[in-house]
Amino acid sequence: MQSVLNAQAEPALHLKYLIVGTVVLCAIIWIMVMIVLAWSLLRAYRSPGEAAPETERRMGRVVLSAAAATVFVITGLTIASFYATGSLGRPESAPVTIKVRAQQWWWQFIYDEPDPAKAFQTANELHIPVGTDIRLELEAADVIHSFWVPSLTGKRDLIPGRRNVLILRADRPGIYRGQCAEFCGLQHSHMALFVIAEDNASFDRWAADQRSEARTPSDGEAVAGKAVFMAKPCAACHSIRGTEASGTTGPDLTHIASRQTIAAGLLDNTRGALAAWIADPQTLKPGNNMPMVPLSSNELRQITAYMDSLR
Amino acid sequence: MTGDAGLAEQRIFDLDEGELERRLSETWETPRGIWGALTTVDHKIIGRRYIITAFVFLILGGLLALAMRLQLAQPEARFIGPDRYNQIFTMHGSTMMFLFAVPVMEAMGVYLVPLMVGTRNIAFPRLNAFSYWIFLAGGLLLWIAFALDTAPDVGWFAYVPLSGPQFGAGKRADIWAQMITFTELSALAVAVEIVVTVFKQRAPGMSLDRIPLFVWAMLVTSFLIIMAMPAIMFASSSLILDRLVGTHFFNPAEGGDVLLWQHLFWFFGHPEVYIIFLPAVGMVSSIVSTFARRPLFGYLPLVMALISTAVLAFGLWVHHMFVVGLPQVGESFFTASSMTIAIPAGVQIFCWLATLWDGRPQFKTPFLFVIGFIVTFVIGGLTGVMVASVPFDTQVHDTYFVVAHFHYVLIGGAVFPLLGAIYYWFPKMTGHMMSETLGRFAFALIFIGFNMTFFPMHILGLEGMPRRIYTYQPEMPWAGMNLFVSASALVLASGFFIFFVDVLRSARSGAPAGANPWGASTLEWATSSPPACFNFARIPVVAARDPLWSEPDELTVATGLRTDRRELIVSSLVEAQAEARESSPRNSIWPLLSAIATTIMLIWSIFSPWAVVWGSIPIAIALIGWFWPKQVPEDES
Ligand code: HEM
Ligand SMILES: [Cu+2]
């Protein structure tokens, strides 16, 4: 799950050590202060409380040493912090680059290739090969968002007009959840993403699949669904490579059925959920940028079948 | 004005106490009834009004907090939709910061500083009246907008471009920006008044090293306000211009910069936290000294800590921006400087502990709140050191860990001392004691409820819960703890409820207080409770840091102020030697009229840039009325 304490990669592990170490140290400091506080309050019942210049001087020395100890601890923590920053990975060495474009309220992942025919994109699910440093180039399409997959590494903002870089790596295959961390408007709450780390072979297989154009449906219902899709406003906003649908407002749907969730982690990708989403996106995720497209129940079933065929 | 000699000439030894007070009352009194209420320039009336208004905003902000907690108690709850929720958390943050925390601290200063430095009114009392009305107008603007369902919904930090013209549709972000302008004006006015009051109106003999720590704290805070405000003024005016007339300060497509907003906002926003916190520190010092029944240990280090905190406060705004991708050298500098601020904070804690160590504490309610403050603020301070570290912060920034951290600082570090201060100074303000029994109940519920509400949020943050989300999915492991937190918020709220019940009950029927119920040492306790309209019948002369302890029987007094005119002693900056007499303004309706004119212009300017042109005409008229030269009878001495 998406937790700082569930570190699954080296950078996150470094951060976890830093966090746990600092928390323990601070807990000890807190307990010490509390002991002094309790002691000085309880002492009141016993001592007559004569203010003498002698005690005043002694307290002066104690306060001074406590201040010195504070300086010491602060310096230590600062150094630990610099050290942890140093271990977070260097962008120059990353062999793979993926572009992340955040939008209200979904994630676009662009796998660019020198050969444009091999480039492809996907939404809300970022596949990466295990054990490799990935260079993420972070961009925002509209407002500020923040890319955060805590089990892998710390967050980094995506800012309009700027490009940030984040190094991501996963040391073990798995599915890691993340979520937009900077308030980005109405549906900030529903802007999740998944990082899917796989070994090289299955990553390559997946990438090859994604590179291919959309499958042509064979089943009658899905064939009809494709026609409805192209005739209705759907195609104006979504792309399906290999068809005339080439909109860019919404996520690319070329291989939508290969994804596990829809609407940025809101729903599991089942036919039922797809139907519910297409029938009424505004009730499920109020304010999102997909309008309700009026469809008969027949058309809805056909479109759902078509979506389901796009593996 | 006359020189030092004038004071001696004007002695009125022949008047007995009753006759003196009768004459002073005639001069300083605020007329009864509505007209008096609208025209008064008495710092005590304005201060009390200011405090009450700020507490009303605390209640409103608290109700919003409960609404948020209701919505978050369960995953995918449908109690509040996203639009309303975003308005609610924006209103909660803005109300708490701009309409409660900062104003209430200023209001305490407006009420207490003149009494604590032994003068008859604050400097620029009409400006003081004006600043209250402006604050009220800004608060009403925001809350009326909320009632009309057009409250800002972009967070109390209003990041661009979300708050800019392309995304912040309607008038919501404009309302936010203008509310900021109102509170800027108000805060700036009060800051100037306090600086001048402290520098020029201290009782004779109150040299710099005899100023009570609360007054020091208000002085330092006022300088913070004066220096931090220009940044936010520039930011909010640029935002208004972007939205209203299409400038491009923050529009990257046209060469503007999104991060410029964040730099400006946090250059103000970080000191803002200390604007809230430093007065609280001053309150703690007052309460600790009184209830430990000994002078504060480490007066000088405490003052130095206040000043160095203020200076450092300007060097660490970037720690709010660690995840925006700044160059690493910069980040390292801001990590180091942010951590450094723990040193003055530590010094202050150590000095209070030393004072307690050597004192014989009395466990009265105000003191209980101070103990609660130490317990919780140390946690908030330590988590502050944690988030000052860049790598640490990249994991917890914008999560519930940070929500926990800053509530520990704001509630633990500022609201606890404030509640203690209310229990402490309530007898002075009203002449009635608050109830010890109810006070203990309120403290226990607030302290326990607070920790139960906010401590688990640290864990929620580490478990990956982002902040500013209106809901979360059932598969996330947060539901149980969120339910617990929401239930605990009710415990916290019930503590506040008892507090308010106690306030209302005691204001009418609390036990009579007497002039100095706690046996405290500072000047405000040297006059009756509540103080007469002229504060002190005879201005005290100060010869020690704790005047009421070192001269328990009778303070020396300065005489020579006229009774038939509102006169103050003006004193020198360092030694506070009496230098001159100066007259203090009378009641006037013009501050209110000026505030109304300003309000019309500011609200109108949400809709049209021409408001700035036409709206300035009524303001000019009101200001001319305000400053119209009066025929002052010549001093016939
Ligand atoms: C009744 C006690 C309170 C409760 C239960 C409470 C609860 C909350 C909650 C749930 C949030 C939203 C967190 C998020 O979604 O990011 C929040 C935000 C906030 N609270 Fe409180 N709060 C309380 C009192 C206060 C006080 C007294 C202050 C200030 C003096 C304060 C200042 C803030 C600020 C500045 C925010 C940030 C708003 C934003 O993200 O824009 N709160 N609080
Ligand atoms: Cu986002």
Side-chain angles (χ1 to χ4, degrees):
Chain A
M1 262 293 137
Q2 117 193 359
S3 168
V4 173
L5 303 172
N6 174 26
Q8 295 292 336
E10 215 184 300
L13 218 54
H14 282 296
L15 295 175
K16 184 179 159 181
Y17 293 148
L18 175 77
I19 290 174
V20 173
T22 314
V23 167
V24 169
L25 178 68
C26 290
I28 294 172
I29 295 175
W30 182 76
I31 290 171
M32 279 167 25
V33 176
M34 288 309 109
I35 290 174
V36 177
L37 173 66
W39 194 354
S40 55
L41 293 178
L42 293 176
R43 200 175 110 74
Y45 290 112
R46 290 182 276 112
S47 91
E50 294 298 313
E54 170 56 26
T55 23
E56 192 96 352
R57 263 198 305 282
R58 204 149 26 90
M59 288 192 319
R61 281 197 296 275
V62 174
V63 167
L64 207 64
S65 358
T70 314
V71 175
F72 185 73
V73 170
I74 294 297
T75 315
L77 286 176
T78 310
I79 292 169
S81 155
F82 291 166
Y83 179 76
T85 311
S87 65
L88 287 186
R90 279 153 303 276
E92 314 82 53
S93 60
V96 181
T97 296
I98 303 170
K99 201 143 97 190
V100 180
R101 248 171 87 82
Q103 330 221 358
Q104 283 178 328
W105 291 277
W106 59 282
W107 302 89
Q108 185 180 20
F109 300 116
I110 303 170
Y111 293 71
D112 260 338
E113 301 271 346
D115 170 9
K118 293 176 103 185
F120 64 91
Q121 53 170 280
T122 171
N124 302 324
E125 286 177 16
L126 176 67
H127 285 249
I128 58 170
V130 138
T132 317
D133 278 349
I134 315 286
R135 180 187 153 93
L136 296 183
E137 291 186 352
L138 306 175
E139 286 176 4
D142 36 43
V143 303
I144 304 177
H145 303 268
S146 189
F147 182 95
W148 189 39
V149 184
S151 312
L152 298 181
T153 189
K155 63 180 72 62
R156 173 80 21 125
D157 284 356
L158 304 94
I159 300 170
R162 294 190 174 235
R163 169 175 296 180
N164 276 334
V165 171
L166 181 70
I167 300 302
L168 195 72
R169 71 180 276 139
D171 292 334
R172 272 183 285 278
I175 302 182
Y176 307 101
R177 191 182 195 271
Q179 196 165 347
C180 175
E182 179 60 81
F183 179 66
C184 56
L186 208 58
Q187 282 300 341
H188 168 58
S189 316
H190 289 130
M191 191 168 160
L193 70 122
F194 293 89
V195 173
I196 298 165
E198 352 176 63
D199 57 53
N200 277 317
S202 42
F203 174 77
D204 289 341
R205 222 172 18 250
W206 172 84
D209 270 354
Q210 298 289 316
R211 238 168 245 141
S212 66
E213 293 193 334
R215 251 152 251 214
T216 320
S218 48
D219 165 77
E221 208 172 29
V223 173
K226 180 174 179 187
V228 179
F229 186 93
M230 299 305 157
K232 296 278 177 183
C234 316
C237 289
H238 294 282
S239 300
I240 299 180
R241 269 180 302 123
T243 75
E244 61 266 38
S246 58
T248 54
T249 314
D252 181 299
L253 301 179
T254 311
H255 298 285
I256 168 101
S258 73
R259 306 207 275 258
Q260 311 196 351
T261 64
I262 55 172
L266 182 67
L267 301 167
D268 284 338
N269 190 359
T270 63
R271 272 192 74 165
L274 271 170
W277 171 257
I278 297 165
D280 188 1
Q282 290 301 324
T283 304
L284 286 170
K285 189 168 170 179
N288 85 85
N289 293 320
M290 169 155 162
M292 189 175 88
V293 176
L295 295 172
S296 72
S297 60
N298 221 7
E299 289 169 328
L300 180 62
R301 207 162 21 200
Q302 290 163 342
I303 280 208
T304 316
Y306 176 50
M307 296 287 105
D308 200 40
S309 75
L310 296 172
R311 318 229 122 249
Chain B
M1 268 191 229
T2 44
D4 217 343
L7 289 176
E9 285 163 22
Q10 294 284 320
R11 281 164 198 261
I12 10 179
F13 282 136
D14 42 322
L15 286 184
D16 69 22
E17 210 62 27
E19 175 63 11
L20 174 64
E21 288 182 10
R22 196 190 59 74
R23 289 201 196 170
L24 281 170
S25 296
E26 246 166 43
T27 311
W28 286 87
E29 213 166 37
T30 293
R32 294 197 161 274
I34 184 88
W35 182 250
L38 298 180
T39 59
T40 185
V41 294
D42 183 337
H43 77 99
K44 297 180 293 300
I45 297 177
I46 293 168
R48 208 166 51 210
R49 196 182 268 174
Y50 222 140
I51 295 172
I52 293 172
T53 315
F55 269 96
V56 170
F57 284 122
L58 170 70
I59 297 177
L60 292 173
L63 292 176
L64 295 182
L66 292 181
M68 284 191 284
R69 285 315 322 172
L70 187 58
Q71 164 68 12
L72 292 174
Q74 281 193 331
E76 298 284 18
R78 300 237 151 200
F79 177 62
I80 303 174
D83 178 55
R84 208 56 172 161
Y85 187 90
N86 292 346
Q87 288 186 45
I88 287 180
F89 86 73
T90 303
M91 287 293 290
H92 170 74
S94 305
T95 301
M96 287 302 193
M97 296 301 275
F98 297 117
L99 303 179
F100 162 66
V102 173
V104 83
M105 294 301 175
E106 284 165 5
M108 294 295 279
V110 164
Y111 189 96
L112 290 168
V113 165
L115 288 166
M116 290 177 99
V117 303
T119 185
R120 288 199 166 143
N121 204 349
I122 199 163
F124 316 129
R126 291 187 178 177
L127 188 61
N128 194 28
F130 174 78
S131 70
Y132 170 76
W133 295 123
I134 279 288
F135 156 70
L136 182 66
L140 287 179
L141 164 71
L142 192 65
W143 273 83
I144 291 173
F146 181 64
L148 300 177
D149 202 8
T150 52
D153 56 353
V154 289
W156 82 278
F157 46 88
Y159 277 7
V160 294
L162 191 59
S163 62
Q166 308 93 320
F167 299 98
K171 292 294 174 195
R172 295 175 167 194
D174 306 85
I175 288 167
W176 181 85
Q178 280 315 50
M179 181 276 296
I180 296 292
T181 309
F182 279 102
T183 44
E184 280 156 14
L185 270 175
S186 164
L188 210 48
V190 174
V192 171
E193 291 153 20
I194 287 182
V195 169
V196 176
T197 308
V198 177
F199 276 165
K200 294 310 290 177
Q201 290 183 200
R202 301 201 305 279
M206 186 184 278
S207 51
L208 285 184
D209 61 346
R210 290 177 187 155
I211 298 180
L213 269 157
F214 176 74
V215 176
W216 265 117
M218 288 309 305
L219 180 66
V220 173
T221 304
S222 302
F223 276 110
L224 266 180
I225 292 177
I226 292 169
M227 293 196 287
M229 281 300 166
I232 188 73
M233 283 189 173
F234 178 69
S236 65
S237 333
S238 315
L239 180 61
I240 285 278
L241 287 175
D242 269 15
R243 294 183 56 93
L244 205 61
V245 295
T247 53
H248 299 296
F249 286 99
F250 305 120
N251 181 356
E254 301 286 340
D257 190 352
V258 170
L259 285 189
L260 173 63
W261 170 267
Q262 295 192 20
H263 282 295
L264 289 172
F265 183 81
W266 290 115
F267 189 78
F268 147 84
H270 195 82
E272 165 102 343
V273 177
Y274 293 94
I275 290 170
I276 295 166
F277 174 63
L278 291 183
V281 165
M283 294 168 179
V284 170
S285 288
S286 301
I287 297 173
V288 162
S289 166
T290 298
F291 291 92
R293 290 184 287 169
R294 98 184 269 293
L296 276 169
F297 174 83
Y299 178 88
L300 193 61
L302 283 169
V303 174
M304 297 312 288
L306 285 172
I307 295 173
S308 52
T309 307
V311 173
L312 284 171
F314 283 102
L316 36 72
W317 77 95
V318 168
H319 75 203
H320 295 267
M321 300 165 61
F322 280 158
V323 298
V324 302
L326 297 172
Q328 221 177 59
V329 204
E331 288 182 347
S332 309
F333 170 78
F334 285 103
T335 291
S337 65
S338 306
M339 293 222 178
T340 314
I341 205 149
I343 297 168
V347 167
Q348 297 178 53
I349 298 271
F350 303 143
C351 287
W352 293 319
L353 287 178
T355 310
L356 295 180
W357 178 267
D358 197 37
R360 284 198 291 155
Q362 287 173 310
F363 293 83
K364 297 277 174 54
T365 307
F367 187 64
L368 295 183
F369 276 103
V370 166
I371 298 176
F373 156 81
I374 296 180
V375 174
T376 50
F377 172 69
V378 173
I379 297 181
L382 289 169
T383 52
V385 171
M386 296 178 195
V387 296
S389 151
V390 175
F392 196 117
D393 188 58
T394 59
Q395 281 289 31
V396 300
H397 180 79
D398 274 339
T399 69
Y400 264 81
F401 188 92
V402 169
V403 178
H405 155 68
F406 71 74
H407 283 90
Y408 266 82
V409 173
L410 287 171
I411 299 185
V415 176
F416 281 12
L418 175 71
L419 296 178
I422 296 291
Y423 273 94
Y424 180 61
W425 277 298
F426 189 87
K428 177 53 58 188
M429 295 180 183
T430 63
H432 298 288
M433 304 297 286
M434 286 177 72
S435 154
E436 255 322 293
T437 325
L438 286 180
R440 273 154 208 267
F441 264 111
F443 169 73
L445 285 174
I446 290 176
F447 180 77
I448 295 169
F450 166 77
N451 283 290
M452 285 181 6
T453 307
F454 290 99
F455 196 82
M457 289 188 190
H458 292 109
I459 301 165
L460 277 174
L462 293 176
E463 283 185 345
M465 180 163 163
R467 63 196 284 206
R468 304 177 186 130
I469 53 173
Y470 75 96
T471 193
Y472 49 93
Q473 280 146 290
E475 60 265 28
M476 307 311 289
W478 307 324
M481 212 173 277
N482 269 304
L483 183 61
F484 177 80
V485 164
S486 296
S488 308
L490 292 177
V491 178
L492 177 56
S494 64
F496 274 100
F497 180 75
I498 294 185
F499 168 77
F500 286 113
V501 168
D502 194 4
V503 166
L504 292 180
R505 192 203 62 96
S506 308
R508 256 176 294 139
S509 55
N516 189 0
W518 313 112
S521 70
T522 38
L523 284 188
E524 77 274 26
W525 304 102
T527 183
S528 58
S529 308
C533 52
F534 45 85
N535 287 2
F536 300 89
R538 293 191 159 90
I539 303 297
V541 174
V542 176
R545 207 173 273 165
D546 294 292
L548 302 197
W549 285 346
S550 52
E551 287 180 78
D553 302 327
E554 187 87 4
L555 283 171
T556 326
V557 293
T559 50
L561 291 179
R562 296 174 59 137
T563 54
D564 57 341
R565 282 209 336 237
R566 294 189 173 186
E567 277 192 349
L568 305 169
I569 296 181
V570 176
S571 50
S572 68
L573 181 63
V574 178
E575 295 297 333
Q577 274 159 350
E579 278 180 335
R581 297 175 290 140
E582 189 173 71
S583 58
S584 177
R586 301 181 156 275
N587 301 346
S588 161
I589 192 69
W590 289 108
L592 174 60
L593 296 180
S594 304
I596 292 174
T598 314
T599 303
I600 291 173
M601 181 189 88
L602 288 179
I603 294 184
W604 187 2
S605 72
I606 293 175
F607 300 94
S608 155
W610 284 104
V612 181
V613 179
W614 301 121
S616 58
I617 295 171
I619 297 183
I621 295 173
L623 289 183
I624 289 170
W626 182 339
F627 293 112
W628 195 257
K630 308 247 170 3
Q631 212 54 51
V632 184
E634 258 313 297
D635 196 339
E636 61 274 19
S637 66

